[in-house]
Amino acid sequence: MGGHGQPLLQVSGLRRRFGEHEVLHGLTFDVRAGQAVAVVGPNGSGKSTLLQCVMGIQPPDSGSVTLRGAPLVESDPAVRAELAAVDDSVDFFPDLSVAEHLGLLAAVHDVPDADAVVRALLEEVGLTEQRNQLPGTLSSGQRRRLALASAFVRPRSLLLLDEPEQRLDGQGVDWLIGRLLDEKAAGGAVLFASHHAGLIDAVADARCEPGRQSG
Ligand SMILES: Nc1ncnc2c1ncn2[C@@H]1O[C@H](COP(=O)(O)OP(=O)(O)OP(=O)(O)O)[C@@H](O)[C@H]1O
Ligand SMILES: [Mg+2]
């Protein structure tokens, strides 16, 4: 894949405060194609805030986020086509089955051979048996697997994940590690917040600690 080693995502001087409390103090880092950066630090240190600023869900007070050198504007379809994100705000249509969710995303993103892709992904995340269930009837770990599958079913060059290990069992974390290593090998970039030392050690090329930066 072209562009390997070149910054895909550039975060520069990012600041974010809530009232008197400054959470991001001028954060600067890059994520390159084929690279994973782990966002680490204690509860409340700004990991989700950082990811939400990158996703465009929250506006930073200052600083910039660029994708391939251009400002990352979430409302731009070309930008949205490159980003796949999973965080706690992931929601499902209550009346679409597991397989229908993935099929819909595949269709929206023009995934070739969508049926086969969805079938393979369902098998991979262990939801084949639940394929016709509605999201509300899934276990919490199964819902997490569906959220992750929703990101993996679509084309993307940057994956943004907030604690993707949440609610996964040991086998699920092992699967996630393999998936993220495959993502890097295919030239994808990954920015993920995590508290899971095993996942971070296995996948991350670099770490970013929002709570330890000072402006
Ligand atoms: N909308 C908001 N209004 C006020 N304070 C906020 C808001 N959102 C986040 N904060 C505060 O910003 C700080 C960073 O929160 P954030 O969710 O980014 O932490 P985190 O590193 O993701 O923590 P965790 O490991 O618990 O997920 C916290 O002190 C939080 O209370
Ligand atoms: Mg968080």
Side-chain angles (χ1 to χ4, degrees), residues 7-78:
L8 178 76
L9 177 74
Q10 287 184 290
V11 173
S12 182
L14 204 67
R15 286 180 184 273
R16 177 72 169 142
R17 63 164 60 245
F18 297 105
E20 292 292 280
H21 181 197
E22 187 173 77
V23 176
L24 304 178
H25 319 281
L27 199 56
T28 297
F29 66 96
D30 292 344
V31 188
R32 290 159 190 278
Q35 194 191 34
V37 173
V39 184
V40 298
N43 293 142
S45 60
K47 302 180 299 297
S48 296
T49 302
L50 166 62
L51 283 170
Q52 288 177 8
C53 287
V54 173
M55 290 175 201
I57 297 172
Q58 285 194 36
D61 295 318
S62 60
S64 68
V65 178
T66 62
L67 192 70
R68 300 184 198 285
L72 193 156
V73 181
E74 193 234 8
S75 58
D76 178 347

Side-chain angles (χ1 to χ4, degrees), residues 47-116:
K47 302 180 299 297
S48 296
T49 302
L50 166 62
L51 283 170
Q52 288 177 8
C53 287
V54 173
M55 290 175 201
I57 297 172
Q58 285 194 36
D61 295 318
S62 60
S64 68
V65 178
T66 62
L67 192 70
R68 300 184 198 285
L72 193 156
V73 181
E74 193 234 8
S75 58
D76 178 347
V79 167
R80 273 207 316 278
E82 296 218 51
L83 303 185
V86 181
D87 72 356
D88 295 334
S89 74
V90 168
D91 232 329
F92 304 110
F93 294 105
D95 53 355
L96 284 190
S97 73
V98 167
E100 284 167 349
H101 264 94
L102 299 181
L104 179 68
L105 284 164
V108 165
H109 292 284
D110 289 324
V111 174
D113 239 337
D115 287 351

Side-chain angles (χ1 to χ4, degrees), residues 85-87 90 92 142-152:
V86 181
D87 72 356
V90 168
F92 304 110
Q142 288 169 342
R143 242 190 321 275
R144 193 69 185 167
R145 286 162 179 256
L146 176 58
L148 291 166
S150 300
F152 290 124

Side-chain angles (χ1 to χ4, degrees), residues 124-125 141 144-145 148 163-181 192 194-203:
E124 197 185 313
V125 299
R144 193 69 185 167
R145 286 162 179 256
L148 291 166
E163 299 188 33
E165 74 273 14
Q166 265 183 90
R167 301 192 174 270
L168 294 183
D169 56 26
Q171 177 271 341
V173 173
D174 289 344
W175 163 77
L176 181 64
I177 288 171
R179 247 306 177 161
L180 296 183
L181 292 175
F192 72 108
S194 180
H195 291 292
H196 193 293
L199 175 66
I200 296 166
D201 288 344
V203 171

